[in-house]
Amino acid sequence: MAREGRTALEVHVRNLQREVVDTELLADVTRAAVAAEGSAIDVMGLVLVDDARISALNEQLLGRTGPTDVISFEAEQTPDGGTEAEAYISVERAAVQAGEYQHALHYELAFLVAHAVLHALGWCDGDPDARRQMLARQTEIIEPLEARIAIADI
């Protein structure tokens, strides 16, 4: 829910890689995840990148080598009292994982967007039980959008 005097969640999706992606679908998944959690984020940025770019970010920001699927930052308060969050998603890594899990690219992207939003809202998946809970919540969040997600890959 937006704070009084503010509009609903703004989602900015920047596609900085070559794969054609339904960015409006990913914005809607972002809105659904924030709404499902009953949280207020004013602005969420999603940056879609390739493995080379996420590898560089992974090393620069987290000190880890190699590509990862998602780098998400916990929501922060802005000087004007709003709340903003940002996440980077490797579409290249999502495509690999979609193949491994035997589902379509946009399903994997939606799953990763839900994952990124949950991290932005403070969820952690550092131990097996927390990871199971987070993965289950991601599935619950995207379930109502599954028909639309399926259409995106046609």
Side-chain angles (χ1 to χ4, degrees):
M1 97 177 47
R3 287 192 325 274
E4 196 171 323
R6 296 232 179 213
T7 59
L9 170 65
E10 272 182 57
V11 181
H12 302 281
V13 183
R14 292 178 48 210
N15 189 359
L16 303 180
Q17 51 83 55
R18 294 177 188 229
E19 184 75 32
V20 175
V21 174
D22 185 342
T23 57
E24 192 54 43
L25 169 66
L26 301 182
D28 287 346
V29 171
T30 303
R31 291 182 192 97
V34 171
E37 288 299 293
S39 297
I41 294 178
D42 296 307
V43 179
M44 179 78 191
L46 297 176
V47 185
L48 307 176
V49 297
D50 58 19
D51 275 357
R53 185 164 291 190
I54 208 154
S55 292
L57 289 167
N58 202 19
E59 184 155 346
Q60 177 186 7
L61 300 172
L62 303 174
R64 301 177 185 153
T65 303
T68 187
D69 50 7
V70 173
I71 297 175
S72 184
F73 300 97
E74 195 163 341
E76 294 182 336
Q77 195 162 25
T78 61
D80 69 350
T83 307
E84 294 184 0
E86 185 172 57
Y88 293 82
I89 298 174
S90 172
V91 176
E92 190 174 347
R93 186 78 0 225
V96 169
Q97 291 174 182
E100 290 172 356
Y101 298 125
Q102 299 181 342
H103 53 244
L105 173 60
H106 279 86
Y107 183 91
E108 183 66 18
L109 286 170
F111 198 72
L112 294 176
V113 167
H115 187 82
V117 171
L118 291 175
H119 273 309
L121 295 174
W123 282 66
C124 295
D125 59 354
D127 65 70
D129 188 49
R131 182 159 180 78
R132 272 191 299 280
Q133 290 177 8
M134 192 169 180
L135 294 175
R137 187 64 176 137
Q138 289 167 231
T139 301
E140 291 170 0
I141 288 167
I142 67 171
E143 193 172 72
L145 296 168
E146 282 183 351
R148 184 154 169 231
I149 293 166
I151 290 170
D153 282 306
I154 295 177

